Amino acid sequence: MEYAAPQMRRDPLTGDWIPMATARMNRPITAGAGATAKGNPLAARKPGDPYQDGEVPDTDYDVVVFENRFPSMVQVPGVDINKISYVDGNPLWEERPAAGRCEVICFDPDENGLPADLSVKRLRTVVEAWAFRTAELSTIDGIEQVFPFENHGEEIGVSLAHPHGQIYAYPFIAPKLETELQHTQAYFEKTGGNLLKDLMNAELEAKERVVMRNHSWVAYVPAAARWPLEVHVAPVRDVLTLDQLNDQERWDLAQMYSTLLKRGNRFFDKGDGKGMDLPYISAWHQAPVRDARRENYRLNLQFFSFRRAANKIKYLAGSESGMAAWVSDTTPELIANRFHELGPIDISED
Amino acid sequence: MEYAAPQMRRDPLTGDWIPMATARMNRPITAGAGATAKGNPLAARKPGDPYQDGEVPDTDYDVVVFENRFPSMVQVPGVDINKISYVDGNPLWEERPAAGRCEVICFDPDENGLPADLSVKRLRTVVEAWAFRTAELSTIDGIEQVFPFENHGEEIGVSLAHPHGQIYAYPFIAPKLETELQHTQAYFEKTGGNLLKDLMNAELEAKERVVMRNHSWVAYVPAAARWPLEVHVAPVRDVLTLDQLNDQERWDLAQMYSTLLKRGNRFFDKGDGKGMDLPYISAWHQAPVRDARRENYRLNLQFFSFRRAANKIKYLAGSESGMAAWVSDTTPELIANRFHELGPIDISED
């Protein structure tokens, strides 16, 4: 496969690096009204499969990870990843190679399954893949942050229906993590403590927003939740990145993630008691790869949904998209109360 | 009308204030599949109108501004807007009244018009309303930023089809403006210059991304644009806020905004040469009300669309929603080239 070397530019007004991913404009779409692809590039290849050009090498698999075929960031051999140039020769506009990496992680060879229906054993393998790729991608020159995430649902524009996640290895610290690092570092300098740990303990003490616990993990609706459904999942032990998780913690995470997805699908209801396939984004916040502030961060999963009722979506309009000022349509306590209706908090014996 | 006093909470991990707007959950929807309202609350009231409860006082109007009936921020008489309390008594979780103001601005009594079809004269009145409300809202205790914006299109969840905009008066500096202020201030301290002015001049010098000019304004695709269609509009003269615009600048703005909306509607095409009603967000970035860094900022309009092709929307998925890391599907030069096809750059004699 041949790649053009994608570039990214620094927005002088915000400091954000913006990869310019022109190659992505023609990526296949198999879900929703805009479907254009003839087959499923994530499926295990079978004889006679219309998608002969599929990206998965084997005829069957458990969980598989490969590089995105339409990457917005890629390291091209021979390209100096540190070379800064200027758009139109003006130093206000820095440009450099978008020398990151975009990976796809297939959760299941079955294209019709839902992530919520995967077995805990299968999800344990997904956790293994997250941990393995975090370790591997962190060794690559120029990678500053490894971000495993999952987009689920046509409502958020997922172009492939097949159960899968993604891993972005950014050649910069993403703006949201940068903001969090500024706050965790300032908190450390002021108190000597770890903000993420103290927030988890504060939620445990307050109790009302804790939605699930097992031996290794605590799931809670954060006291200042911004999404109509938002749950943060924190490890009980001090852990910086997914690859630092021990065997017990990996099993416990698979179990909690399974329960979270199942309850998420019952959170909203059309009135028939059947729940609905929840569109969600699942975002792993890990300590950055090199930045010295990493020691005062702590691994956490931020799971959230755009759905705000069975028939309503929260859109990111002027305040959110234009000013990054979120307005919540609900309260963290209402979200937690709904989770409490869906099952017990202590799931350690499930 | 009776209001509960909405609260906002500070997210300890980001520093963002999140208004909790439970009252908004039942607001009327007249556009799209989820339409629930029996009438149009923004229409001029006529005898026999089904929406007897409409919000517009007169039977006809030119442009009208009123307070949002389902506000996420409001100042309630008797409530101390500066009173900080703690969620569950924990100082990690600050809470205070969401003592801002949410206004709606109706552009036209005709509910079926499009903003792009409004006359320049009518848009001149809209500019007048933006300027007037900026001045008025800036005098209110506790208001830190006045944000006039426009959400257009069902694709971004606009719940009322009637041509209208909104004005949020935030009791905080919104995260995006805060980030910009940090960068304009650092630039001033380093160079003595105004970053926004220098960026406008750099775009004029580079030429290729300038899409429109008249006597008082320059419109360009910023060199690090993040949206599939993005145009920034900057005043030629140093101006901090909309109320500082003189008469000529107000007329020239109305003219440029009219041309921008018309060309925006021709930007994407289904192949029939007719263009399409562009969904867009139009966001006024003004100097903050009180913050000392205001002098080194400069008024600018950031106009952008989620649409990335005639049949495609850009969704804010994991990277954007979870990490605030935008990935562009195009390049600023491609956006500008398309605008160049749609009409001349110099529109001062139109």
Side-chain angles (χ1 to χ4, degrees), chain A residues 6 17 19 21 76 106-107 135 152 161 165 174 184 189-190 194 206 222 224 228 257 264 266 286 296 299 312 325 349:
Chain A
W17 285 99
V76 178
C106 281
F107 294 173
H152 180 75
T184 53
E189 284 164 12
K190 191 177 155 194
N194 182 303
Y257 198 60
R266 290 165 52 216
Q286 309 202 73
N296 299 312
L299 177 67
K312 286 177 190 164
E349 302 311 323

Side-chain angles (χ1 to χ4, degrees), chain A residues 184 187 193-223 232-239 249 256 298-301, chain B residues 12-13 88 90 92-93:
Chain A
T184 53
Y187 184 83
N194 182 303
L195 178 58
L196 281 157
K197 181 179 191 165
D198 288 359
L199 283 172
M200 176 187 73
N201 286 327
E203 293 290 0
L204 284 169
E205 198 187 338
K207 277 193 181 137
E208 59 183 330
R209 286 173 302 275
V210 174
V211 297
M212 277 187 291
R213 285 199 66 170
N214 62 20
H215 295 299
S216 312
W217 299 87
V218 180
Y220 57 87
V221 183
H232 291 195
V233 181
V236 171
R237 187 171 67 92
D238 289 339
V239 171
E249 288 163 338
M256 183 169 279
R298 208 165 183 271
L299 177 67
N300 68 100
L301 174 71
Chain B
L13 203 49
D88 296 312
N90 192 321
L92 280 172
W93 297 315

Side-chain angles (χ1 to χ4, degrees), chain B residues 18 25 28 32 49 54 94 140 178 225 231 245 294-295 300 330:
Chain B
I18 315 287
M25 296 195 88
D49 191 309
E94 289 181 30
I140 298 177
E178 173 59 33
V231 174
L245 296 173
R294 72 191 303 272
E295 299 301 328
N300 69 99
T330 180

